[in-house]
Amino acid sequence: MSRFGSLAEVCADNPGAFLGTEDAREQGALDPADLATAERALEELGYVSVPEEPLESDYEGHSALECYDTRPTWWTRSFGMT
């Protein structure tokens, strides 16, 4: 669950453990029916499910996350440290 708004990420393990949702499915770590159930529950609670892949791209907006050597990712910005 995001600290900003109603965003949520569903992943098979810890974020980054797989190369995204499709990779987790191919390796048998994420059952499509379980994913659908989780996404449906999130939608019913008013959340928007965000795929893992775009969250790994660089966040280029303003950030107070000066503790990183490189720019934070969208995951860091939306789900990680504030």
Side-chain angles (χ1 to χ4, degrees), residues 19-42:
L19 297 176
T21 305
E22 191 60 36
D23 183 46
R25 277 191 243 172
E26 288 173 0
Q27 293 192 40
L30 183 60
D31 181 89
D34 290 343
L35 176 60
T37 299
E39 288 180 336
R40 188 171 42 255
L42 288 168

Side-chain angles (χ1 to χ4, degrees), residues 6-27:
S6 300
L7 300 176
E9 175 192 10
V10 178
C11 53
D13 200 334
N14 294 320
F18 295 91
L19 297 176
T21 305
E22 191 60 36
D23 183 46
R25 277 191 243 172
E26 288 173 0
Q27 293 192 40

Side-chain angles (χ1 to χ4, degrees), residues 19-67:
L19 297 176
T21 305
E22 191 60 36
D23 183 46
R25 277 191 243 172
E26 288 173 0
Q27 293 192 40
L30 183 60
D31 181 89
D34 290 343
L35 176 60
T37 299
E39 288 180 336
R40 188 171 42 255
L42 288 168
E43 183 179 339
E44 289 172 2
L45 293 169
Y47 285 89
V48 174
S49 180
V50 181
E52 185 172 1
E53 294 85 348
L55 294 173
E56 292 302 319
S57 61
D58 288 345
Y59 174 75
E60 296 184 10
H62 173 72
S63 177
L65 299 173
E66 302 298 332
C67 61

